[in-house]
Amino acid sequence: FGYDARDAAKHGAGHPEFWFYITVASLYFSGLMEDVDHICSYPGHTDTPKKITANGLESILARLGKCTRASYLHDLILRHSTAAKSQPIKASDRLFKNQLSTIRLNKFPHSNLAANARKTPISLRGKRVLVVDDMITSGRSIESARAYIEAAGGQVTMFGWLKTISAPYMALNAPIPGLKPYEINTITNEPASTAHSYQAGVIAQNAAAELDDMLKRFVAWNI
């Protein structure tokens, strides 16, 4: 099922409707959406904006926002400089500062894929933001998003579409001193972090088999 999920997240291919239903059900019935004010996705590794397609991740998240009355801000997090892509590089070269130094927050994001950006600057103080990343390798990307949103006074819930099973999740130990959330920051010192084992973090051991079975039944479903 991982190939189908990746194709849905990256290209709007595979069976995006299935993953939309799974995502909405997981977030809703887990209670994670109860206090979420905004939803945003993490940008790609280049400074070129993602192309928004009818069946892509952005459209799915916009629909999730409508279902839960949370505004979807696809460009809340901006990539101002290209960063090294995590998957193909060595684990030792995956650094927080590569992410922290290449993103910033946008004061005037678009709401729910609207044609025009908001006219007044957004305030995240006291707001909870659901940050969604399509592919989590080590967690440094989504943790960097958390650092920026918390620096702006917000709170963060993080959701990963897919996770590389061979890499531990790296969590920041503390806020980044002096981080200016809406400006370009140059981070020279690698911040302290804690590694969390992938296997130790798996709560539902049968989840993979259950997802695979559900996807097969969805594909074979005749309405």
Side-chain angles (χ1 to χ4, degrees), residues 27 69-70 77 94 99 122 143 147 177 179 185 207 212 214 221:
L27 290 169
R69 297 183 180 180
I77 305 171
R94 297 170 187 161
Q99 296 296 325
I122 192 170
E143 282 281 318
L179 190 69
N185 296 267
D212 192 54
M214 283 190 287
W221 185 16

Side-chain angles (χ1 to χ4, degrees), residues 126-149:
K127 304 295 185 180
R128 178 167 291 278
V129 182
L130 171 70
V131 182
V132 179
D133 198 0
D134 53 11
M135 173 69 77
I136 294 178
T137 302
S138 64
R140 289 180 173 88
S141 296
I142 205 166
E143 282 281 318
S144 297
R146 178 169 70 89
Y148 270 81
I149 293 171

Side-chain angles (χ1 to χ4, degrees), residues 164-181:
T164 303
I165 62 174
S166 59
Y169 183 90
M170 305 300 297
L172 286 168
N173 289 349
I176 308 300
L179 190 69
K180 298 178 180 179

